[in-house]
Amino acid sequence: MELAAVVMVPDTLGSGVMSRTQAYSTITSGAGRELSSSLFPILGNDVLQTWAERIRKVGVQNIWLTAASRDGKETSPALGQLVRQGIERLLMIKLKSYAEMDLSDLVRFHCERRNSITEVLDSRGRLGISVFDQFALAKDLAKDKKSTGIPRTGQCTQYPFAGYAKRILSAKERQELVRDALTGVCAMRPAGEQIGDHVWLGEDVSVDTSAKIVGPSYIGDRTSVRAGATVGPFSSVERDCIVDCGSAVEHSTVLPSTYLGVGLMFRHAMVDGSQLQDLDSGVIADLEPAGLARRIAPRQSKRQTSTRNEIFSPDCNAWLGAQYATVQQVQP
C-alpha cells in the first residue's frame, strides 16, 4: 500500500494551511494558556522540519500539512478529504512532541500485525503519532458525517515507545529538552557554532565584551546581549532577541523577537514578547505594562533563507512562512 503522511500543527485557526506568522500570533495571545508552540524554534532547530525529514526517510512521497485544535481532542475535518481521494495508508503526526523514533519500525509494526490503527504511546501517554489504514478512517467517516476522521482510541493497537521524547507544547518539558540538548543527553544539537565549553552562538550574534555567557547555553541568530548582561547556565535565547544591560537569564528560554529590559532577573521561566511563564507554577504574567519586556521586530538575515521544496507536497500556492516552500493544502 502507498503510504502518505499528514503533519497536524496544533492551533486555534481551524483547518487548512496556516502561515507561521498567523500561528505564532494566535498561540501567544490570550491569557491563562501556556506560551509554548510547536512552531517556535528550539535551540535554533525547527521541529516541523525534523519530523518532515524523518517522514521522508520512510519513503513517503506526499506530506500534507494542516491544522488541528491545540488540545488534541479534535482534529481537522479535512482529513476526511484524504480518505475520499483514495489514500491507502496514512501516517499522522500531531506536532506536539519531539521524539527520537524510527518511523520505519512503526510502519513495519503496523503492517506485520495487520493493524487497522496503530498509536504510539510512551510511559506518559500518547505522543500524537499514529498509522491508519484507509478503511479504518472511511468506516469512522461513514458512521458520522461530521466525524473528524480519527477513529476512537479503543480501536487502536498500541505501539510502545521507550526512547527519548518530550512534549514541546509544555513549557516545562520544552525547557527540559533544551537542557538535554545542551548537555548531549538527546540527539538534538544547537543550530550554531560552538565557541566554548557548551556555549553555542548562531549567526550575526552580538555579545558585548562585558556580557557573560555561562555554559551550557545557546544564543540564536541576530540576537544581541548587551553590556553587563548574563545568559546561562542552561538557557536558550532564540533568534532576533535583545537582552538589555545588566539583565540575567538563567535556566530559562527566551522565544524569538523578544526584548528583555534593563537590570532584570529571569530564572526558571519562558519569555515570549511581554509574556512570562513561570516553569514551576505555570503562572503567566504580562511584563509590558511595567516596560520590562516586549515584542520586537525580527532583524533581516544577511543570507537568503533557502526554501525547502523537497519537504512538503508542492501542489498548492500556500506558504508556511518564509521558512518553507509551497505545501499541499487539505481542503475541508
Side-chain angles (χ1 to χ4, degrees):
M1 285 187 178
E2 181 183 356
L3 178 66
V6 169
V7 179
M8 309 189 79
V9 180
D11 84 312
T12 57
L13 297 176
S15 62
V17 173
M18 75 190 79
S19 71
R20 180 180 296 272
T21 302
Q22 287 176 313
Y24 184 84
S25 61
T26 299
I27 292 172
T28 56
S29 64
R33 62 178 12 172
E34 289 190 333
L35 305 185
S36 184
S37 162
S38 54
L39 292 179
F40 291 139
I42 300 176
L43 299 173
N45 292 280
D46 191 322
V47 177
L48 175 57
Q49 172 81 6
T50 299
W51 276 117
E53 291 171 352
R54 288 193 179 123
I55 291 169
R56 283 298 189 206
K57 290 181 180 179
V58 186
V60 174
Q61 299 303 312
N62 294 311
I63 303 177
W64 304 68
L65 182 68
T66 188
S69 64
R70 180 178 167 85
D71 59 14
K73 294 180 180 179
E74 182 182 357
T75 54
S76 170
L79 287 184
Q81 184 64 19
L82 289 178
V83 177
R84 299 181 186 97
Q85 292 181 14
I87 296 298
E88 296 175 311
R89 181 171 291 143
L90 182 66
L91 170 63
M92 187 185 76
I93 296 176
K94 296 180 183 179
L95 199 67
K96 66 177 187 178
S97 66
Y98 168 84
E100 295 175 355
M101 67 178 302
D102 182 357
L103 292 177
S104 62
D105 186 69
L106 168 63
V107 174
R108 189 182 308 112
F109 175 91
H110 177 85
C111 296
E112 289 179 351
R113 302 204 176 194
R114 298 184 178 181
N115 297 334
S116 298
I117 310 154
T118 302
E119 184 176 30
V120 180
L121 288 85
D122 68 357
S123 60
R124 298 194 58 190
R126 302 175 186 174
L127 279 174
I129 306 162
S130 307
V131 182
F132 304 100
D133 278 349
Q134 181 195 35
F135 81 91
L137 292 169
K139 182 178 179 181
D140 194 65
L141 285 172
K143 289 180 180 179
D144 185 356
K145 292 183 179 179
K146 296 182 179 180
S147 170
T148 62
I150 302 302
R152 311 305 191 264
T153 305
Q155 300 173 333
C156 295
T157 298
Q158 297 181 0
Y159 175 90
F161 177 67
Y164 185 92
K166 291 292 180 184
R167 274 75 173 166
I168 58 175
L169 294 183
S170 161
K172 189 170 184 178
E173 283 197 69
R174 185 187 182 93
Q175 183 63 28
E176 291 172 359
L177 174 56
V178 167
R179 177 201 63 199
D180 292 347
L182 287 171
T183 56
V185 172
C186 64
M188 180 183 285
R189 292 294 177 266
E193 179 183 358
Q194 185 170 359
I195 64 163
D197 188 17
H198 292 92
V199 174
W200 289 264
L201 299 184
E203 294 188 346
D204 305 326
V205 171
S206 173
V207 179
D208 189 87
T209 55
S210 64
K212 186 176 182 181
I213 311 299
V214 182
S217 288
Y218 170 79
I219 311 295
D221 295 351
R222 303 176 298 279
T223 282
S224 175
V225 183
R226 293 180 173 173
T230 301
V231 174
F234 298 100
S235 294
S236 171
V237 182
E238 298 290 346
R239 63 175 182 257
D240 301 307
C241 292
I242 296 175
V243 181
D244 215 336
C245 301
S247 286
V249 179
E250 300 178 2
H251 298 269
S252 298
T253 289
V254 181
L255 295 175
S257 303
T258 294
Y259 167 79
L260 303 182
V262 175
L264 305 175
M265 167 62 77
F266 297 89
R267 181 178 293 157
H268 299 288
M270 176 174 287
V271 189
D272 174 35
S274 66
Q275 305 292 302
L276 178 147
Q277 180 171 350
D278 180 81
L279 296 179
D280 296 322
S281 67
V283 172
I284 296 177
D286 187 358
L287 304 181
E288 188 166 18
L292 304 179
R294 65 177 185 269
R295 170 82 61 236
I296 56 176
R299 293 169 53 194
Q300 184 67 36
S301 175
K302 291 183 180 180
R303 66 174 183 174
Q304 184 178 3
T305 302
S306 62
T307 57
R308 297 181 172 96
N309 291 297
E310 74 281 5
I311 295 299
F312 296 104
S313 301
D315 297 339
C316 119
N317 294 322
W319 288 77
L320 183 62
Q323 300 296 321
Y324 295 97
T326 52
V327 299
Q328 187 168 357
Q329 183 173 11
V330 184
Q331 297 291 344

